[in-house]
Amino acid sequence: MALTGIQIFKMLPGTNCKKCGAATCLAFAMNLASGKAELDACPDVSEESREKLSAASAPPIRPLTIGYGDTAIKIGGETVLFRHEKTFFNPTGIAALINDSESDADIAAKVKRYQKMQYSRVGLNLRPELVVVKGGARLADAAKAVVANSDLSVILYSEDPAALKAAAEALAGKNPLIGPATKANCAEVAAVAKEAKAPVWLKAASMDEVAELTKALTAAGLKDIVIDSGARTVKEVFTDSVAIRRAALGGNRDYGFPTIAFPAEITDNLAMQTAIASALIAKYAGVVVLGDLDGAMVFPLLLERLNIFTDPQRPMTMVQDIYPINNPGENSPVLVTTNFSLTYFIVSSEVEGSRVPCWLLIKDSEGLSVMTAWAAGKFSGDDVGQFVKKIGIEEKIKHKSVVIPGYAASISGDMEEELPGWNITIGPREAAHLTKFLKDYKTA
Amino acid sequence: MAFQIPTVKYSGKINEVPIGPAKVMVGGQNAYSFHTFEGSFPNKPKIALDVWDYDPSEEWPEALRQAFAGVMGDPGAWAGKCVEYGADIVVLHLKSSDPNDKNTGADHAVAAVQKVLDAVSCPVVIFGVDNKDKDVETLSAVAEKFAGKNLILGPVTEKNYKQIGAQALAYGHTVIARTPIDVNLAKQLNILLTGLGLPKDKIIVDPTTGGLGYGMEYGYSVMERISMAALVQQDDNLQQPMISFFGEDVWKSKEANLPTAENPQLGDATCRGVLMETTEAVAVLGAGVSVLSMRHPASVKLVREYVELAYDGGDVKGDLPKVPITEF
Ligand code: SF4
């Protein structure tokens, strides 16, 4: 729990030596309490105080990283139950379950396919990051087949500590998530994870056992722990997901870790696994594990994840640019609107739906929608006119026509002054009417 | 000490709204969706399928055309098919009445409603085109003609709530109050409608959703905030059950209309559309929605099974749609 400045002050050396940059220890303590300073800035703080202070200032859910390279993902670190209360920080990892009984050739083919599931959207690359390798005897070989044939990161799944050890060694430097630590093998698996300096996951048989295992793993010196409550029904996996998040945010350190959930082990049906994963991406899973990956499953889940983990305080904006839709040519219509991502999405999806090739010009309006941007003076006639001139659309078209949003109708006069010789047409107010509008619209 | 789930102090509950002539109940829950450990859920979420008043074969993707082959030209046959596919509710969209498009009149709307009511006995939503004047014209005619049938009429907005609200009140129908992604506007319209004299068991709200990948998060959070206000802050002007029309957004998106061969990385086209719809359905259910308006029968099957399992527990059974693995 958060400490006050005074509580922190009592644990500092009290010499007011100023090495931390603050005038006094008390001033430094106040800065620490408000998050404006890092404890490391004081070179003289005792080891004991350091431990106490870092434990007290630790986030309620341990943030940790699984994997390596491009597919390394950070999970945990969340602070709220509802995204509108602040934001959800670290998107749920999406994983496929592979059995070590599958041949290396089959594994290679699968992971090569998974690696190609990459989709670009609003300047981001969306993709599944992880493969869970499950088994025993062939765990190390199967894990090697995954990393040899793809850049995907690995979660190891075996209750046999010897198999885990061999596989962890085979994945040295690739930071796999290792487990599960269970009631039966906790000490041995902890030793493997410790030696490999890798994060560990636990699989419990009940919520009480979750706490027993996190305590045991913590006592063994491990910090990066991921929880599987062991739930394997739709109802229980959701309930446990909510329970763990609430307990953690309520300050119960035994549950202050990210989670992993296994739709793959709830049902064989991949479509139902997708539905289960949807609920768990929205409600608190750190990683969801599916039985196999196909674009039809992964793409919707990636979109959901993108939406749910967008910071509500910072609306997504589009880069000011020319966006071609439906392969436009030199006679295609030119539409202009604001850079609020929702505006862009709605307008672009209507234009796509109309099948009419168009140039969509997105003007920076500080992330405001058309009506608000216009009212705030961020979408004035002079502004939009100059923007059309300098964005370089003239080199792509043979006409001089541009369509403005209906809600910004009143800027057309000023735009005409700014763009002599151009035809300014007022488009519909609602994007829903664009299809009909574009059917009749002719450039001049 | 045995682990106990930290509880939320709920102080309110969602009003129960009886819809259709048989008074099918929606709403009534007193906790967040799927939170079965701390609340009661007398009525599971209901699933609606869309019917249009003209044949949209030219606009709808293959996946939907296949599912409704042979019935899309006849609202009655189409509605029957929806019920056969397991829909609890049929939504008849009066799409042809759009003044920006075919601009058919009130008589056309009445005839389409008649066909649907002749074919099915489930609750029926009659949905306009979100044009304030045209919707008043068509929905008023429908309200009067089908007095006492307890149809669900929408969208009712801030701009036409007086006219449509009065018709609903006079002829015994329920309304769908639509507001654009804003908690306060949703609350305001509820206050206006109850101010007209419309009882709270006659109002369902549509806070507007947004498609998966196309701004779903805005509507999602507004719905979560409405749920929170209703259940935890006991705001009795936000305790109406919610409906979401995300199915329309999903199936209009570029990705739901892309043939498999054009981008095999996105998987089988039909399955992709179905799972986009299913994914968004489960997400908005979690945000507190009581009625889902969707389009594909396979999504209905999946979401229905998900809802049963999430509320009643047990293992996945039943014959569910399969995901064909697309190689590329
Ligand atoms: S460096 Fe440490 S001891 Fe010195 S003033 Fe800062 S807090 Fe105090």
Side-chain angles (χ1 to χ4, degrees):
Chain A
M1 287 294 88
L3 295 176
T4 64
I6 300 293
Q7 284 169 322
I8 296 172
F9 169 66
K10 288 180 183 154
M11 287 187 252
L12 294 175
T15 54
N16 298 333
C17 73
K18 300 193 169 74
K19 282 187 240 166
C20 59
T24 62
C25 291
L26 182 61
F28 182 64
M30 293 300 176
N31 288 345
L32 274 181
S34 59
K36 283 185 222 137
E38 297 281 341
L39 184 60
D40 289 343
C42 170
D44 301 327
V45 67
S46 73
E47 206 41 53
E48 192 198 338
S49 297
R50 184 181 302 276
E51 249 167 51
K52 272 194 200 150
L53 284 168
S54 57
S57 62
I61 299 171
R62 170 87 181 169
L64 57 93
T65 301
I66 301 173
Y68 71 107
D70 287 349
T71 57
I73 61 154
K74 191 172 164 188
I75 58 173
E78 302 299 341
T79 58
V80 292
L81 283 170
F82 298 94
R83 63 184 289 281
H84 67 257
E85 293 174 327
K86 185 168 177 70
T87 186
F88 288 175
F89 293 98
N90 296 311
T92 311
I94 296 178
L97 184 69
I98 289 182
N99 232 290
D100 75 351
S101 59
E102 296 171 49
S103 74
D104 284 355
D106 286 352
I107 294 174
K110 268 192 178 173
V111 297
K112 281 180 184 161
R113 187 159 57 81
Y114 299 163
Q115 178 167 353
K116 280 191 268 174
M117 292 176 186
Q118 302 196 31
Y119 315 98
S120 75
R121 205 170 180 90
V122 284
L124 301 168
N125 185 37
L126 311 182
R127 63 177 297 190
E129 299 87 358
L130 301 160
V131 169
V132 176
V133 181
K134 181 178 184 180
R138 260 184 34 81
L139 198 69
D141 287 340
K144 271 192 256 177
V146 172
V147 295
N149 291 289
S150 75
D151 67 351
L152 294 157
S153 288
V154 176
I155 297 174
L156 296 172
Y157 186 165
S158 173
E159 293 186 21
D160 174 4
L164 284 177
K165 187 171 157 63
E169 278 163 13
L171 296 181
K174 304 221 175 333
N175 193 34
L177 175 64
I178 293 176
T182 65
K183 221 173 161 175
N185 70 9
C186 188
E188 292 93 326
V189 171
V192 174
K194 223 173 159 186
E195 198 192 325
K197 294 199 173 61
V200 64
W201 64 283
L202 66 88
K203 182 178 178 182
S206 68
M207 285 295 284
D208 288 323
E209 207 178 289
V210 168
E212 285 169 36
L213 289 168
T214 58
K215 278 199 189 96
L217 292 168
T218 307
L222 293 166
K223 291 200 169 83
D224 290 338
I225 301 168
V226 178
I227 298 173
D228 167 12
S229 74
R232 292 294 186 274
T233 68
V234 170
K235 183 172 168 171
E236 284 159 11
V237 79
F238 182 86
T239 299
D240 287 357
S241 195
V242 173
I244 292 167
R245 172 68 67 94
R246 279 198 194 158
L249 297 186
N252 188 337
R253 292 281 175 197
D254 296 341
Y255 298 90
F257 302 94
T259 59
I260 182 168
F262 287 85
E265 297 188 341
I266 293 176
T267 171
D268 290 336
N269 182 278
L270 294 171
M272 181 53 77
Q273 289 179 19
T274 308
I276 300 167
S278 169
L280 295 172
I281 286 170
K283 294 278 183 251
Y284 318 141
V287 176
V288 290
V289 184
L290 302 156
D292 195 355
L293 301 182
D294 183 81
M297 310 156 66
V298 168
F299 182 68
L301 293 175
L302 289 169
L303 290 184
E304 182 199 20
R305 180 175 86 172
L306 174 71
N307 286 162
I308 296 289
F309 284 84
T310 294
D311 185 347
Q313 262 96 53
R314 264 187 303 166
M316 280 195 293
T317 56
M318 300 298 296
V319 179
Q320 172 163 301
D321 207 347
I322 301 172
Y323 292 80
I325 301 180
N326 303 331
N327 298 315
E330 55 192 24
N331 294 316
S332 302
V334 174
L335 316 176
V336 59
T337 190
T338 70
N339 76 331
F340 179 35
S341 69
L342 194 53
T343 302
Y344 165 80
F345 277 138
I346 294 170
V347 170
S348 64
S349 83
E350 290 295 338
V351 174
E352 268 157 18
S354 76
R355 315 242 148 106
V356 179
C358 287
W359 301 100
L360 179 59
L361 307 187
I362 295 295
K363 181 195 173 306
D364 186 355
S365 57
E366 297 174 18
L368 300 173
S369 68
V370 172
M371 226 188 315
T372 335
W374 171 75
K378 311 280 181 205
F379 201 75
S380 69
D382 304 349
D383 245 14
V384 179
Q386 277 171 21
F387 158 73
V388 171
K389 256 193 243 170
K390 67 168 199 246
I391 195 71
I393 185 66
E394 281 177 274
E395 293 137 40
K396 298 184 186 290
I397 53 174
K398 276 201 164 157
H399 59 86
K400 286 192 166 210
S401 305
V402 59
V403 180
I404 61 172
Y407 279 115
S410 62
I411 70 169
S412 66
D414 286 345
M415 263 184 89
E416 271 161 12
E417 275 176 36
E418 197 62 44
L419 294 171
W422 280 68
N423 266 302
I424 318 285
T425 304
I426 296 163
R429 286 172 162 237
E430 302 296 339
H433 300 143
L434 270 171
T435 301
K436 159 92 170 142
F437 172 86
L438 288 170
K439 257 185 220 161
D440 303 335
Y441 174 72
K442 293 272 172 294
T443 55
Chain B
M1 200 179 63
F3 176 79
Q4 298 216 313
I5 304 176
T7 47
V8 163
K9 243 188 144 21
Y10 295 107
S11 52
K13 112 183 211 311
I14 305 301
N15 293 316
E16 269 187 302
V17 173
I19 53 171
K23 299 206 182 323
V24 173
M25 289 292 185
V26 300
Q29 63 272 29
N30 66 357
Y32 294 135
S33 306
F34 307 137
H35 288 51
T36 50
F37 51 91
E38 61 185 4
S40 72
F41 300 83
N43 310 298
K44 291 200 187 103
K46 299 286 180 286
I47 303 175
L49 278 173
D50 279 0
V51 168
W52 280 22
D53 69 345
Y54 72 88
D55 186 341
S57 295
E58 283 178 20
E59 297 154 62
W60 282 25
E62 173 71 19
L64 294 172
R65 291 201 307 269
Q66 248 172 21
F68 294 101
V71 297
M72 286 171 87
D74 174 3
W78 189 349
K81 195 80 189 166
C82 293
V83 172
E84 201 179 293
Y85 281 140
D88 302 305
I89 298 169
V90 168
V91 180
L92 174 63
H93 288 272
L94 303 176
K95 290 282 181 186
S96 74
S97 70
D98 191 344
N100 290 305
D101 201 354
K102 301 189 188 345
N103 201 17
T104 57
D107 49 338
H108 186 273
V110 165
V113 176
Q114 185 71 61
K115 280 187 189 150
V116 171
L117 293 185
D118 287 345
V120 300
S121 56
C122 66
V124 177
V125 173
I126 311 298
F127 215 67
V129 289
D130 217 342
N131 178 301
K132 66 175 163 56
D133 300 322
K134 188 60 185 253
D135 289 349
V136 167
E137 185 189 326
T138 52
L139 294 178
S140 296
V142 168
E144 187 178 346
K145 173 81 187 180
F146 302 98
K149 297 271 185 205
N150 195 15
L151 297 170
I152 305 104
L153 307 175
V156 172
T157 67
E158 194 192 25
K159 296 199 176 101
N160 61 15
Y161 77 95
K162 276 189 192 149
Q163 295 94 319
I164 302 176
Q167 294 292 88
L169 191 59
Y171 298 108
H173 301 295
T174 301
V175 299
I176 293 173
R178 169 177 276 187
T179 43
I181 318 190
D182 185 291
V183 177
N184 292 322
L185 293 178
K187 179 170 173 163
Q188 167 90 3
L189 186 53
N190 274 341
I191 294 172
L192 291 172
L193 281 166
T194 45
L196 271 187
L198 209 62
K200 287 194 167 155
D201 65 358
K202 289 285 187 192
I203 306 169
I204 295 174
V205 301
D206 169 18
T208 311
T209 311
L212 184 69
Y214 290 88
M216 177 187 79
E217 69 271 29
Y218 297 95
Y220 175 87
S221 280
V222 164
M223 294 189 292
E224 282 205 327
R225 287 171 59 199
I226 289 176
S227 297
M228 189 180 267
L231 297 168
V232 180
Q233 291 143 12
Q234 217 187 334
D235 187 333
D236 58 8
N237 289 308
L238 285 171
Q239 290 172 331
Q240 300 313 121
M242 291 188 274
I243 184 169
S244 170
F245 291 90
F246 64 93
E248 172 153 25
D249 298 311
V250 163
W251 288 103
K252 259 186 1 196
S253 71
K254 173 175 71 179
E255 293 84 3
N257 284 274
L258 213 57
T260 312
E262 263 182 54
N263 190 348
Q265 269 103 321
L266 290 172
D268 173 75
T270 299
C271 187
R272 182 199 318 141
V274 165
L275 291 180
M276 286 175 74
E277 190 167 43
T278 300
T279 297
E280 184 159 8
V282 172
V284 300
L285 280 176
V289 165
S290 294
V291 184
L292 302 167
S293 168
M294 317 209 293
R295 290 199 171 163
H296 200 284
S299 321
V300 174
K301 224 173 181 175
L302 281 165
V303 175
R304 172 88 62 206
E305 176 81 358
Y306 183 84
V307 164
E308 299 280 329
L309 295 169
Y311 283 105
D312 298 341
D315 292 323
V316 179
K317 51 209 174 295
D319 179 22
L320 295 169
K322 302 259 184 310
V323 177
I325 301 293
T326 305
E327 301 287 343
F328 49 84

